[in-house]
């Protein structure tokens, strides 16, 4: 929500009841914290980031296998070890030529960090976006991911606060077998 205000956040959090629903609001957490209705919790802090897109060399490091596929306007990249263990992943929504691409769910397994996999995933997705006609991209970066994105030329536009709808207490108790 790029133009959220208190009344909109209150209205949405009072009416949306589906557990697992996320709202990403581009304001500081101290501003948003008191706006959410009961049953919503603050999630990890983050940042709205953007970059102009360009084609890049994207070569997977030795010892890894890569699978890339697209469906419904979303391109995904999965990197696994030679024995099939998860190493890294990411996805990008490609809304069409001239539109801004949206990077999402960029993740590197802690056992495989600092090996160039995050950069590889980002560059592979960036190449897909350029090929689809996008010239710019945005993402909601985490505190942990910010250094990678800045290294790759992304710039921080502002803070991002996530709130997530939790299951009602009785559903949480049922899930936990209480």
């Amino acid at each position: 929500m790029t133009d959220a205000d208190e009344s909109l956040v209150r209205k949405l959090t009072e009416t949306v009841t589906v557990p697992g629903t996320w709202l990403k609001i581009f304001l500081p957490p101290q501003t948003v914290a008191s706006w959410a209705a009961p049953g919503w919790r603050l999630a990890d802090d983050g940042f709205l980031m953007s970059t102009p897109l360009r084609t890049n060399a994207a070569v997977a490091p030795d010892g890894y296998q890569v699978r890339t596929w697209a469906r419904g306007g979303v391109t995904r990249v999965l990197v696994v070890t030679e024995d099939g263990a998860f190493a890294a992943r990411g996805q990008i929504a490609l809304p069409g030529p001239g539109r801004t691409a949206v990077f999402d769910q960029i993740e590197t397994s802690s056992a495989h960090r600092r090996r160039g996999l995050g950069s590889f995933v980002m560059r592979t997705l960036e190449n897909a976006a350029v090929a689809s006609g996008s010239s710019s991209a945005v993402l909601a970066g985490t505190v942990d991911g910010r250094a990678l994105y800045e290294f790759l030329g992304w710039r921080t536009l502002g803070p991002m606060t996530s709130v997530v709808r939790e299951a009602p207490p009785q559903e949480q108790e049922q899930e936990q077998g209480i």
Side-chain angles (χ1 to χ4, degrees):
M1 300 171 46
T2 57
D3 58 354
D5 60 20
E6 183 174 2
S7 64
L8 178 58
V9 171
R10 284 189 187 281
K11 179 180 178 184
L12 287 172
T13 61
E14 288 169 357
T15 57
V16 175
T17 59
V18 178
T21 300
W22 287 72
L23 297 177
K24 295 185 183 232
I25 304 157
F26 298 103
L27 293 168
Q30 60 271 25
T31 301
V32 175
S34 66
W35 296 354
W40 290 80
R41 69 171 169 80
L42 289 176
D44 296 333
D45 295 341
F47 309 93
L48 174 61
M49 302 183 78
S50 71
T51 193
L53 297 173
R54 61 191 181 290
T55 302
N56 289 287
V59 179
D62 290 340
Y64 293 96
Q65 298 174 2
V66 180
R67 180 173 171 229
T68 303
W69 69 100
R71 184 174 52 223
V74 176
T75 296
R76 293 176 172 86
V77 175
L78 175 65
V79 182
V80 297
T81 63
E82 290 176 343
D83 63 358
F86 170 75
R89 71 176 176 139
Q91 65 184 25
I92 187 169
L94 301 170
R99 309 276 314 268
T100 300
V102 180
F103 284 66
D104 188 34
Q105 297 182 9
I106 310 302
E107 178 186 6
T108 302
S109 166
S110 59
H112 297 277
R113 291 188 181 145
R114 316 247 11 114
R115 299 180 189 182
L117 295 175
S119 294
F120 168 74
V121 167
M122 292 294 291
R123 289 179 176 137
T124 300
L125 294 172
E126 184 171 5
N127 291 341
V130 170
S132 78
S134 292
S135 60
S136 63
V138 296
L139 62 75
T142 62
V143 172
D144 288 342
R146 186 177 184 181
L148 167 66
Y149 307 135
E150 288 178 342
F151 170 78
L152 294 173
W154 290 70
R155 60 189 185 106
T156 300
L157 302 177
M160 179 200 66
T161 300
S162 295
V163 292
V164 62
R165 179 71 166 123
E166 297 184 314
Q170 64 273 17
E171 286 183 28
Q172 289 177 4
E173 290 172 0
Q174 289 172 350
E175 289 173 4
Q176 297 169 1
I178 299 175

